[in-house]
Amino acid sequence: MSLDFIDWALVRDLLSWFLFLLGSAAVVIGALGIVRFPDFFSRLHGAGITDTAGAELIVFAMMLQAPNWIVLAKLIFIAAFFGLTSPVATHAIAHAAWMVGFKPMQGAALRYKGDEGE
Amino acid sequence: MGRILILVLNLVVIWLLLSGYFDKPLLLAFGAASVAFTTWLAVRARIIDNDSVPSGLFPGILGYWAWLIFEIGKANILVARQALAVEPKLSPKLFTVPNPPRSSVGKATFGNSITLTPGTVTIDVREEEILVHALTEELADVEAITAMGERVARAERRQT
Amino acid sequence: MMFAVATVAIFIAMSLALVRAFVGPSLYDRVLAGNSFGTKTVLLIGVMGFLTGRPDFLDIAILYALINFAATIAILRFFSYREATAKDRARPLNEGEAP
Protein backbone atom coordinates (compact mmCIF):
# COMPACT_ATOMS: atom_id res chain seq x y z
CA MET A 1 0.00 0.00 0.00
CA SER A 2 1.47 3.28 -1.06
CA LEU A 3 0.67 6.67 0.37
CA ASP A 4 2.63 8.64 -2.22
CA PHE A 5 -0.47 10.27 -3.64
CA ILE A 6 -0.91 12.27 -0.42
CA ASP A 7 0.62 15.74 -0.48
CA TRP A 8 2.18 15.73 2.97
CA ALA A 9 3.05 19.44 2.90
CA LEU A 10 -0.61 20.22 2.25
CA VAL A 11 -1.73 17.91 5.05
CA ARG A 12 0.71 19.61 7.41
CA ASP A 13 -0.48 23.08 6.42
CA LEU A 14 -4.13 22.15 6.81
CA LEU A 15 -3.45 20.63 10.21
CA SER A 16 -1.59 23.72 11.39
CA TRP A 17 -4.33 25.98 10.01
CA PHE A 18 -6.81 23.97 12.05
CA LEU A 19 -4.70 24.16 15.21
CA PHE A 20 -3.97 27.88 14.71
CA LEU A 21 -7.66 28.71 14.29
CA LEU A 22 -8.63 26.61 17.30
CA GLY A 23 -5.83 28.06 19.41
CA SER A 24 -6.57 31.66 18.35
CA ALA A 25 -10.23 31.11 19.16
CA ALA A 26 -9.30 29.73 22.58
CA VAL A 27 -6.99 32.68 23.32
CA VAL A 28 -9.70 35.19 22.41
CA ILE A 29 -12.39 33.26 24.33
CA GLY A 30 -10.14 33.14 27.39
CA ALA A 31 -9.58 36.90 27.18
CA LEU A 32 -13.34 37.41 26.77
CA GLY A 33 -13.81 35.33 29.90
CA ILE A 34 -11.36 37.51 31.80
CA VAL A 35 -13.33 40.60 30.79
CA ARG A 36 -16.85 39.23 31.15
CA PHE A 37 -16.94 37.03 34.23
CA PRO A 38 -18.41 38.73 37.29
CA ASP A 39 -15.90 38.27 40.11
CA PHE A 40 -12.20 37.71 40.59
CA PHE A 41 -12.35 33.97 41.20
CA SER A 42 -14.40 33.28 38.09
CA ARG A 43 -12.00 35.38 36.02
CA LEU A 44 -9.28 32.91 36.95
CA HIS A 45 -11.10 30.31 34.84
CA GLY A 46 -11.02 32.58 31.82
CA ALA A 47 -7.28 32.88 32.17
CA GLY A 48 -7.20 29.07 32.43
CA ILE A 49 -8.52 28.69 28.88
CA THR A 50 -5.84 31.01 27.48
CA ASP A 51 -3.11 29.25 29.41
CA THR A 52 -4.04 25.67 28.51
CA ALA A 53 -5.96 25.33 25.26
CA GLY A 54 -4.90 28.60 23.66
CA ALA A 55 -1.19 28.53 24.38
CA GLU A 56 -0.65 24.81 23.82
CA LEU A 57 -2.64 24.63 20.58
CA ILE A 58 -0.78 27.59 19.07
CA VAL A 59 2.56 26.10 20.14
CA PHE A 60 1.56 22.74 18.61
CA ALA A 61 0.60 24.51 15.39
CA MET A 62 4.01 26.22 15.33
CA MET A 63 5.66 22.84 15.93
CA LEU A 64 4.13 21.55 12.70
CA GLN A 65 5.66 24.50 10.84
CA ALA A 66 9.11 24.17 12.44
CA PRO A 67 11.81 24.36 9.75
CA ASN A 68 14.36 22.34 11.72
CA TRP A 69 14.58 20.24 14.84
CA ILE A 70 16.24 22.95 16.99
CA VAL A 71 13.14 25.09 16.58
CA LEU A 72 11.02 22.04 17.35
CA ALA A 73 12.98 21.38 20.54
CA LYS A 74 12.55 24.97 21.65
CA LEU A 75 8.82 24.81 21.01
CA ILE A 76 8.59 21.60 23.04
CA PHE A 77 10.46 23.42 25.80
CA ILE A 78 7.99 26.33 25.68
CA ALA A 79 5.02 23.93 25.72
CA ALA A 80 6.42 22.08 28.74
CA PHE A 81 7.21 25.37 30.46
CA PHE A 82 3.65 26.64 29.96
CA GLY A 83 2.26 23.37 31.25
CA LEU A 84 4.37 23.52 34.39
CA THR A 85 4.28 27.22 35.27
CA SER A 86 0.87 28.54 34.25
CA PRO A 87 -1.03 26.54 36.91
CA VAL A 88 1.53 27.58 39.51
CA ALA A 89 1.10 31.26 38.63
CA THR A 90 -2.71 30.98 38.60
CA HIS A 91 -2.69 29.20 41.94
CA ALA A 92 -0.29 31.77 43.38
CA ILE A 93 -2.65 34.62 42.42
CA ALA A 94 -5.73 32.78 43.71
CA HIS A 95 -4.01 31.80 46.94
CA ALA A 96 -2.69 35.33 47.55
CA ALA A 97 -6.18 36.80 47.06
CA TRP A 98 -7.67 34.12 49.35
CA MET A 99 -5.13 34.80 52.07
CA VAL A 100 -5.82 38.54 51.94
CA GLY A 101 -9.51 37.86 52.58
CA PHE A 102 -11.18 37.79 49.19
CA LYS A 103 -14.32 35.68 49.20
CA PRO A 104 -15.81 34.36 45.97
CA MET A 105 -19.37 34.79 44.84
CA GLN A 106 -21.30 31.60 45.37
CA GLY A 107 -24.34 29.94 43.92
CA ALA A 108 -26.39 30.73 40.83
CA ALA A 109 -27.51 34.03 42.39
CA LEU A 110 -23.87 35.25 42.37
CA ARG A 111 -24.01 36.58 45.91
CA TYR A 112 -21.15 37.03 48.32
CA LYS A 113 -21.63 34.85 51.40
CA GLY A 114 -22.61 36.96 54.37
CA ASP A 115 -23.94 39.80 52.23
CA GLU A 116 -27.58 38.64 52.44
CA GLY A 117 -28.41 40.73 55.48
CA GLU A 118 -26.93 43.93 54.10
CA MET B 1 23.78 9.55 43.46
CA GLY B 2 21.26 8.39 40.89
CA ARG B 3 19.42 11.68 41.19
CA ILE B 4 22.61 13.67 40.57
CA LEU B 5 23.20 11.69 37.38
CA ILE B 6 19.64 12.34 36.22
CA LEU B 7 20.05 16.05 36.99
CA VAL B 8 23.34 16.27 35.04
CA LEU B 9 21.85 14.45 32.05
CA ASN B 10 18.83 16.76 32.03
CA LEU B 11 20.97 19.87 32.27
CA VAL B 12 23.22 18.69 29.44
CA VAL B 13 20.23 17.95 27.21
CA ILE B 14 18.63 21.34 27.96
CA TRP B 15 21.89 23.18 27.31
CA LEU B 16 22.48 21.38 24.00
CA LEU B 17 18.91 21.92 22.82
CA LEU B 18 18.81 25.59 23.68
CA SER B 19 22.21 26.40 22.23
CA GLY B 20 22.12 24.18 19.17
CA TYR B 21 25.92 24.08 18.85
CA PHE B 22 27.55 20.66 18.74
CA ASP B 23 30.87 21.34 17.00
CA LYS B 24 32.30 24.43 18.69
CA PRO B 25 34.68 23.15 21.39
CA LEU B 26 34.74 26.49 23.20
CA LEU B 27 30.95 26.69 23.53
CA LEU B 28 30.74 23.03 24.53
CA ALA B 29 33.33 23.71 27.24
CA PHE B 30 31.27 26.64 28.51
CA GLY B 31 28.23 24.39 28.58
CA ALA B 32 30.07 21.70 30.51
CA ALA B 33 31.34 24.31 32.94
CA SER B 34 27.88 25.73 33.59
CA VAL B 35 26.38 22.26 34.05
CA ALA B 36 29.16 21.38 36.51
CA PHE B 37 28.68 24.66 38.38
CA THR B 38 24.89 24.22 38.62
CA THR B 39 25.25 20.65 39.86
CA TRP B 40 27.85 21.70 42.38
CA LEU B 41 25.55 24.44 43.70
CA ALA B 42 22.63 22.02 43.93
CA VAL B 43 24.69 19.44 45.80
CA ARG B 44 26.14 22.08 48.09
CA ALA B 45 22.69 23.49 48.89
CA ARG B 46 21.44 19.91 49.52
CA ILE B 47 18.34 20.41 47.42
CA ILE B 48 18.61 17.18 45.42
CA ASP B 49 15.67 15.17 46.68
CA ASN B 50 12.35 13.93 45.36
CA ASP B 51 11.12 17.52 45.09
CA SER B 52 13.77 18.92 42.78
CA VAL B 53 14.47 15.72 40.81
CA PRO B 54 11.13 13.88 40.94
CA SER B 55 12.35 10.66 39.32
CA GLY B 56 9.88 8.71 41.45
CA LEU B 57 7.02 10.00 39.32
CA PHE B 58 8.29 8.40 36.13
CA PRO B 59 7.12 6.48 34.20
CA GLY B 60 3.74 6.32 35.89
CA ILE B 61 3.10 10.02 35.36
CA LEU B 62 3.30 9.79 31.55
CA GLY B 63 0.06 7.85 31.25
CA TYR B 64 -1.51 10.24 33.70
CA TRP B 65 -0.49 13.26 31.57
CA ALA B 66 -2.03 11.70 28.47
CA TRP B 67 -5.28 11.18 30.38
CA LEU B 68 -5.08 14.72 31.79
CA ILE B 69 -4.85 16.27 28.31
CA PHE B 70 -8.22 14.75 27.41
CA GLU B 71 -9.75 16.00 30.65
CA ILE B 72 -8.41 19.51 29.94
CA GLY B 73 -9.90 19.40 26.45
CA LYS B 74 -13.32 18.43 27.76
CA ALA B 75 -13.30 21.07 30.53
CA ASN B 76 -12.12 23.73 28.05
CA ILE B 77 -15.23 23.23 25.94
CA LEU B 78 -17.49 23.58 29.00
CA VAL B 79 -15.84 26.81 30.17
CA ALA B 80 -15.59 28.27 26.65
CA ARG B 81 -19.34 27.80 26.28
CA GLN B 82 -19.89 29.88 29.43
CA ALA B 83 -17.48 32.59 28.25
CA LEU B 84 -19.29 32.88 24.92
CA ALA B 85 -22.85 32.58 26.21
CA VAL B 86 -24.96 35.72 25.98
CA GLU B 87 -26.22 35.03 29.50
CA PRO B 88 -23.52 33.00 31.27
CA LYS B 89 -25.10 30.55 33.68
CA LEU B 90 -22.48 30.65 36.39
CA SER B 91 -22.90 29.14 39.81
CA PRO B 92 -19.47 29.44 41.44
CA LYS B 93 -18.86 27.02 44.25
CA LEU B 94 -16.20 26.43 46.88
CA PHE B 95 -15.63 22.87 48.03
CA THR B 96 -12.90 20.60 49.37
CA VAL B 97 -11.60 17.38 47.89
CA PRO B 98 -9.33 14.85 49.63
CA ASN B 99 -5.62 15.00 48.79
CA PRO B 100 -4.55 11.36 48.53
CA PRO B 101 -0.97 11.62 47.10
CA ARG B 102 1.64 10.89 49.74
CA SER B 103 4.71 12.79 48.50
CA SER B 104 4.88 16.57 48.17
CA VAL B 105 5.54 16.23 44.44
CA GLY B 106 2.38 14.15 44.14
CA LYS B 107 0.39 16.75 46.07
CA ALA B 108 1.78 19.52 43.87
CA THR B 109 0.97 17.52 40.73
CA PHE B 110 -2.60 17.00 41.89
CA GLY B 111 -3.08 20.66 42.82
CA ASN B 112 -1.63 21.79 39.50
CA SER B 113 -3.81 19.33 37.60
CA ILE B 114 -6.91 20.82 39.21
CA THR B 115 -5.77 24.33 38.28
CA LEU B 116 -4.77 23.25 34.78
CA THR B 117 -8.27 21.92 34.14
CA PRO B 118 -10.24 25.05 33.22
CA GLY B 119 -13.26 25.63 35.42
CA THR B 120 -11.58 24.48 38.61
CA VAL B 121 -8.84 26.35 40.46
CA THR B 122 -6.90 25.19 43.49
CA ILE B 123 -7.20 27.93 46.10
CA ASP B 124 -5.64 26.38 49.17
CA VAL B 125 -3.57 23.20 49.52
CA ARG B 126 -3.78 21.70 52.98
CA GLU B 127 -2.23 18.55 54.36
CA GLU B 128 -5.26 16.30 53.88
CA GLU B 129 -7.52 18.24 51.53
CA ILE B 130 -7.56 20.82 48.77
CA LEU B 131 -9.90 23.83 48.61
CA VAL B 132 -11.22 24.18 45.07
CA HIS B 133 -13.19 26.92 43.36
CA ALA B 134 -15.37 25.78 40.46
CA LEU B 135 -17.11 27.94 37.89
CA THR B 136 -20.38 26.03 37.54
CA GLU B 137 -22.25 23.25 39.29
CA GLU B 138 -21.43 20.94 36.38
CA LEU B 139 -17.69 21.52 36.72
CA ALA B 140 -17.73 21.09 40.51
CA ASP B 141 -17.64 17.32 40.15
CA VAL B 142 -16.20 16.11 43.45
CA GLU B 143 -16.12 12.44 42.41
CA ALA B 144 -14.22 13.14 39.18
CA ILE B 145 -11.63 15.28 41.00
CA THR B 146 -11.24 12.68 43.75
CA ALA B 147 -10.69 10.05 41.07
CA MET B 148 -8.03 12.31 39.53
CA GLY B 149 -6.25 12.50 42.89
CA GLU B 150 -6.28 8.73 43.20
CA ARG B 151 -4.77 8.46 39.73
CA VAL B 152 -1.90 10.71 40.86
CA ALA B 153 -1.47 8.61 44.00
CA ARG B 154 -1.25 5.48 41.83
CA ALA B 155 1.19 7.18 39.43
CA GLU B 156 3.73 8.03 42.13
CA ARG B 157 5.74 4.89 42.59
CA ARG B 158 8.02 5.87 45.44
CA GLN B 159 6.86 7.64 48.56
CA THR B 160 9.11 9.87 50.57
CA MET C 1 -1.09 33.67 6.21
CA MET C 2 -1.96 31.42 9.11
CA PHE C 3 0.61 33.21 11.24
CA ALA C 4 -1.02 36.54 10.42
CA VAL C 5 -4.40 35.20 11.54
CA ALA C 6 -2.92 33.99 14.82
CA THR C 7 -1.12 37.33 15.31
CA VAL C 8 -4.35 39.28 14.87
CA ALA C 9 -6.19 36.97 17.27
CA ILE C 10 -3.45 37.33 19.88
CA PHE C 11 -3.53 41.13 19.49
CA ILE C 12 -7.30 41.15 20.08
CA ALA C 13 -6.89 38.94 23.16
CA MET C 14 -4.08 41.18 24.45
CA SER C 15 -6.22 44.28 24.19
CA LEU C 16 -9.02 42.49 26.07
CA ALA C 17 -6.56 41.54 28.81
CA LEU C 18 -5.44 45.18 28.93
CA VAL C 19 -9.07 46.25 29.42
CA ARG C 20 -9.25 44.03 32.48
CA ALA C 21 -5.91 45.31 33.71
CA PHE C 22 -7.14 48.92 33.49
CA VAL C 23 -10.65 48.32 34.85
CA GLY C 24 -9.44 46.24 37.78
CA PRO C 25 -11.20 46.62 40.16
CA SER C 26 -8.88 44.85 42.58
CA LEU C 27 -5.12 44.43 42.56
CA TYR C 28 -5.40 40.69 41.95
CA ASP C 29 -7.51 41.19 38.85
CA ARG C 30 -4.73 43.36 37.49
CA VAL C 31 -2.05 40.81 38.35
CA LEU C 32 -4.14 38.10 36.68
CA ALA C 33 -4.60 40.23 33.57
CA GLY C 34 -0.88 41.04 33.55
CA ASN C 35 0.05 37.39 33.79
CA SER C 36 -2.37 36.50 31.01
CA PHE C 37 -0.97 39.37 28.93
CA GLY C 38 2.52 37.94 29.44
CA THR C 39 1.43 34.49 28.28
CA LYS C 40 -0.02 36.06 25.14
CA THR C 41 3.16 38.05 24.61
CA VAL C 42 5.18 34.83 24.60
CA LEU C 43 2.86 33.40 21.95
CA LEU C 44 3.00 36.67 20.00
CA ILE C 45 6.81 36.68 19.96
CA GLY C 46 6.84 33.07 18.74
CA VAL C 47 4.23 33.63 16.04
CA MET C 48 5.87 36.90 14.93
CA GLY C 49 9.14 34.98 14.59
CA PHE C 50 7.48 32.56 12.21
CA LEU C 51 5.64 35.38 10.42
CA THR C 52 8.89 37.18 9.63
CA GLY C 53 10.69 33.92 8.83
CA ARG C 54 13.04 34.14 11.79
CA PRO C 55 12.17 31.35 14.26
CA ASP C 56 15.21 32.38 16.31
CA PHE C 57 12.73 34.66 18.06
CA LEU C 58 11.82 31.60 20.11
CA ASP C 59 14.84 32.20 22.33
CA ILE C 60 13.34 35.55 23.29
CA ALA C 61 9.97 33.85 23.80
CA ILE C 62 11.52 31.35 26.24
CA LEU C 63 13.22 34.16 28.10
CA TYR C 64 9.99 36.15 28.24
CA ALA C 65 8.14 33.12 29.60
CA LEU C 66 10.72 32.79 32.38
CA ILE C 67 10.56 36.49 33.22
CA ASN C 68 6.76 36.52 33.13
CA PHE C 69 6.52 33.69 35.63
CA ALA C 70 9.14 35.14 37.96
CA ALA C 71 7.57 38.61 37.72
CA THR C 72 4.10 37.36 38.65
CA ILE C 73 5.45 35.56 41.72
CA ALA C 74 7.61 38.56 42.65
CA ILE C 75 4.69 41.02 42.39
CA LEU C 76 2.50 38.81 44.56
CA ARG C 77 5.33 38.48 47.04
CA PHE C 78 5.79 42.25 47.13
CA PHE C 79 2.10 42.97 47.71
CA SER C 80 1.77 40.22 50.31
CA TYR C 81 4.26 42.21 52.40
CA ARG C 82 2.26 45.39 51.83
CA GLU C 83 -1.03 43.72 52.73
CA ALA C 84 0.41 42.19 55.86
CA THR C 85 0.87 45.67 57.27
CA ALA C 86 -2.51 47.03 56.16
CA LYS C 87 -5.18 46.99 58.84
CA ASP C 88 -8.75 45.83 58.36
CA ARG C 89 -8.03 44.58 54.90
CA ALA C 90 -10.86 42.17 54.08
CA ARG C 91 -13.82 44.47 53.49
CA PRO C 92 -12.27 47.47 51.72
CA LEU C 93 -10.65 45.20 49.14
CA ASN C 94 -13.90 43.42 48.35
CA GLU C 95 -15.91 46.59 48.09
CA GLY C 96 -14.52 47.44 44.68
CA GLU C 97 -16.26 44.47 43.12
CA ALA C 98 -19.53 44.17 44.98
CA PRO C 99 -22.30 43.28 42.54
Side-chain angles (χ1 to χ4, degrees), chain A residues 29 32-33 36-38 41-42 44-45 48-49 52-53 69-70 73-74 77 83-84 86-88 90-91 94-95 98 104-108 110, chain B residues 14 17-18 20 22 72 76 79-80 82-86 88 90-94 112 115-116 118-125 131 133-135:
Chain A
I29 290 171
L32 266 179
R36 287 189 63 202
F37 283 160
F41 285 94
S42 42
L44 288 170
H45 304 299
I49 301 185
T52 57
W69 65 268
I70 288 277
K74 282 173 186 165
F77 191 81
L84 290 175
S86 72
V88 178
T90 309
H91 167 69
H95 186 68
W98 174 256
M105 291 174 169
Q106 291 199 43
L110 298 176
Chain B
I14 289 174
L17 287 184
L18 290 186
F22 297 97
I72 292 174
N76 259 309
V79 181
Q82 294 299 329
L84 286 177
V86 182
L90 307 180
S91 52
K93 198 180 167 191
L94 272 183
N112 276 346
T115 313
L116 208 49
T120 48
V121 167
T122 309
I123 292 182
D124 201 3
V125 183
L131 183 66
H133 179 269
L135 188 62

Side-chain angles (χ1 to χ4, degrees), chain B residues 8-67:
Chain B
V8 169
L9 277 179
N10 275 305
L11 289 174
V12 166
V13 168
I14 289 174
W15 195 89
L16 286 177
L17 287 184
L18 290 186
S19 79
Y21 288 109
F22 297 97
D23 47 0
K24 301 251 168 62
L26 179 70
L27 290 173
L28 286 178
F30 282 153
S34 49
V35 167
F37 182 63
T38 312
T39 314
W40 176 73
L41 277 183
V43 170
R44 191 165 179 277
R46 295 200 185 86
I47 53 167
I48 297 185
D49 52 15
N50 198 38
D51 286 349
S52 60
V53 189
S55 52
L57 286 176
F58 290 91
I61 199 75
L62 296 175
Y64 172 74
W65 280 343
W67 173 82

Side-chain angles (χ1 to χ4, degrees), chain B residues 60-135:
Chain B
I61 199 75
L62 296 175
Y64 172 74
W65 280 343
W67 173 82
L68 184 65
I69 290 172
F70 276 99
E71 292 296 306
I72 292 174
K74 277 192 279 179
N76 259 309
I77 295 169
L78 288 175
V79 181
R81 215 194 287 152
Q82 294 299 329
L84 286 177
V86 182
E87 287 274 321
K89 286 187 182 54
L90 307 180
S91 52
K93 198 180 167 191
L94 272 183
F95 57 98
T96 54
V97 291
N99 193 359
R102 212 81 61 76
S103 65
S104 51
V105 181
K107 284 186 202 300
T109 307
F110 181 36
N112 276 346
S113 308
I114 294 175
T115 313
L116 208 49
T117 319
T120 48
V121 167
T122 309
I123 292 182
D124 201 3
V125 183
R126 298 160 188 164
E127 202 53 43
E128 291 300 323
E129 55 182 23
I130 291 183
L131 183 66
V132 181
H133 179 269
L135 188 62

Side-chain angles (χ1 to χ4, degrees), chain A residues 13 16-17 20-21 24 27-28 31-32 34-35 39-40 43-44 47 50-51 55 58-59 62 65-67 71 74-75 77-78 81-82 85 88-89 92-93 96-97 100-103 105 112 115, chain C residues 1-3 5-6 9-10 12-13 16 20 24-26 28-29 31-32 35-36 39-40 42-43 46-47 50 55 58-59 61-62 65-66 69 72-73 76 83 89-91 93-94 97-99:
Chain A
D13 276 3
S16 16
W17 258 110
F20 263 127
L21 288 180
S24 308
V27 168
V28 174
L32 266 179
I34 295 178
V35 174
D39 79 325
F40 165 70
R43 279 172 208 139
L44 288 170
T50 309
D51 287 348
I58 288 185
V59 172
M62 286 196 278
Q65 296 292 322
V71 171
K74 282 173 186 165
L75 284 168
F77 191 81
I78 292 181
F81 193 79
F82 272 145
T85 60
V88 178
I93 300 171
V100 166
F102 269 64
K103 294 286 179 281
M105 291 174 169
Y112 291 109
D115 277 3
Chain C
M1 188 56 208
M2 58 185 118
F3 303 119
V5 171
I10 294 169
I12 294 170
L16 287 173
R20 179 47 73 195
S26 71
Y28 297 94
D29 287 295
V31 177
L32 179 69
N35 183 39
S36 193
T39 307
K40 284 161 202 150
V42 176
L43 293 175
V47 176
F50 276 93
L58 285 173
D59 289 323
I62 291 172
L66 288 163
F69 176 62
T72 304
I73 302 296
L76 290 171
E83 296 302 340
R89 50 198 194 271
R91 288 311 300 161
L93 273 172
N94 256 350
E97 51 171 348

